[in-house]
Amino acid sequence: MTAQTATAQQDDTIVFTPQWTAQAQFAGYYVAEAKGFYREAGVKVRIEHPSATQPAMTRLRENQCQATTLQLCQAMEVVCDGIPLVNILQTSMNNAMVIVSARDKDPLTQRGAKVGIWSVGFGQLAICMSIKDHLNYEWVRFAQNVNLFVSGALDATLAMSYNEYYQLVQAGIKMTDKNVYRFCDHGYNVQEDGVYMTRDYYENHKDLAHRFAQASRKGWEWAAQHPEETLAIVMQYVDREHIATNRVMQRLMLKEVLRLQVDRESKKREFRLRPDMVQQASRLMVEYHMLNRDVTYEELIPKK
């Protein structure tokens, strides 16, 4: 093999790092690999999950991966910080974030409450809401589970409807319309997960990026049609990565993630970034000083 051939083969490999450990949130990519969709598209893909010392965005910055998943608000912060990104595939069409309060209290009445928030950087809209509604929450960082809230150390906690929400249900926390605040129902329905690359990598590998995105979309479409088979594939990844979870939890997560992929207005899986949601997120984050300038839809999409 010549050095030129070796370089070409290396260039054809996309290392994909989801933003979190193995779980049904990333089922479509696992399906695309397991069912051979990447191979059929002529793309070599290696899925490498992040670690506590090597978060997904750090890996992308350091060229240890070529693609990652980010929530829209996260991606906008990165772009605002001077790292141009391209959204090559949008999977989420709805916001999954909720606040769950203890003792059946309304989160909007708990001014100054101690509220759990992810240490990895989610929760931008919750911070905006807290400022806008003069709630003055005291944010308490947590890593990956709901133990602080369950133990009574917090008044409330942020949760994703496909993840921590079900962890709380499994822990015996009572969920009602009174103590669960769903951001999507209160003017904060901003899209979340999408697949991003640095603009520099995308510009030099456009065809490869598009084939990767199309094969990933095919994986998600197959997952929606074959949820039980998809769950089996997810559990293989979970077991391989030694993740402490269970099949019931992953089934609930997969069902909710797939539901969130259906646009509320069109009732379809559109797999596209919505300009109106980018504008909404940018307006909120600029107004409440989480961005120092507007980040536009045009900055995030591939240029033709």
Side-chain angles (χ1 to χ4, degrees), residues 153-296:
L154 300 175
D155 302 304
T157 189
L158 295 182
M160 289 299 178
S161 65
Y162 53 80
N163 192 357
E164 294 86 6
Y165 179 91
Y166 287 120
Q167 292 180 32
L168 292 169
V169 170
Q170 290 189 341
I173 301 298
K174 183 180 179 182
M175 302 293 192
T176 69
D177 290 340
K178 184 177 180 181
N179 77 321
V180 178
Y181 175 98
R182 297 181 183 274
F183 283 80
C184 62
D185 295 334
H186 297 276
Y188 298 97
N189 193 27
V190 171
Q191 291 171 287
E192 294 181 331
D193 286 3
V195 180
Y196 291 85
M197 293 177 163
T198 63
R199 187 166 288 277
D200 180 64
Y201 180 83
Y202 171 79
E203 292 294 341
N204 288 292
H205 302 85
K206 288 184 179 180
D207 180 62
L208 188 66
H210 287 299
R211 283 185 279 131
F212 170 67
Q214 287 302 310
S216 298
R217 174 173 176 166
K218 186 176 179 180
W220 278 114
E221 290 171 335
W222 193 94
Q225 296 296 318
H226 307 86
E228 282 303 310
E229 293 172 75
T230 296
L231 179 62
I233 292 171
V234 169
M235 294 310 297
Q236 290 175 5
Y237 280 83
V238 165
D239 293 342
R240 187 185 309 166
E241 298 285 326
H242 307 291
I243 304 302
T245 185
N246 57 70
R247 195 178 187 90
V248 172
M249 174 66 189
Q250 294 305 312
R251 178 180 283 109
L252 291 168
M253 181 183 290
L254 178 61
K255 183 178 179 180
E256 177 67 358
V257 166
L258 291 172
R259 185 188 72 82
L260 291 164
Q261 291 182 353
V262 178
D263 186 81
R264 283 184 166 191
E265 297 173 14
S266 70
K267 311 300 182 187
K268 297 178 181 178
R269 284 188 170 79
E270 298 189 10
F271 296 101
R272 70 179 180 97
L273 196 59
R274 283 182 46 164
D276 59 324
M277 291 196 182
V278 175
Q279 185 178 36
Q280 179 188 9
S282 183
R283 177 183 58 77
L284 284 167
M285 293 173 71
V286 168
E287 183 176 357
Y288 297 108
H289 310 293
M290 305 199 70
L291 296 176
N292 57 29
R293 67 170 180 84
D294 275 319
V295 175
T296 66

Side-chain angles (χ1 to χ4, degrees), residues 107 109-115 130 134-139 155:
T109 66
Q110 293 186 288
R111 299 186 188 282
K114 291 183 179 180
V115 181
S130 175
H134 307 290
L135 294 170
N136 301 317
Y137 286 155
E138 177 186 342
W139 299 106
D155 302 304

Side-chain angles (χ1 to χ4, degrees), residues 83-151:
I83 302 176
L85 296 177
V86 174
N87 177 300
I88 62 168
L89 179 69
Q90 183 66 32
T91 55
S92 158
M93 297 303 292
N94 300 283
N95 197 276
M97 193 164 55
V98 303
I99 298 178
V100 180
S101 289
R103 296 173 290 278
D104 204 30
K105 290 185 178 180
D106 182 346
L108 298 186
T109 66
Q110 293 186 288
R111 299 186 188 282
K114 291 183 179 180
V115 181
I117 190 172
W118 299 276
S119 58
V120 291
F122 306 152
Q124 292 89 344
L125 295 180
I127 296 172
C128 291
M129 182 273 279
S130 175
I131 299 170
K132 178 177 180 291
D133 292 342
H134 307 290
L135 294 170
N136 301 317
Y137 286 155
E138 177 186 342
W139 299 106
V140 179
R141 300 282 174 181
F142 67 84
Q144 61 181 353
N145 58 44
V146 296
N147 290 351
L148 277 176
F149 179 76
V150 173
S151 69

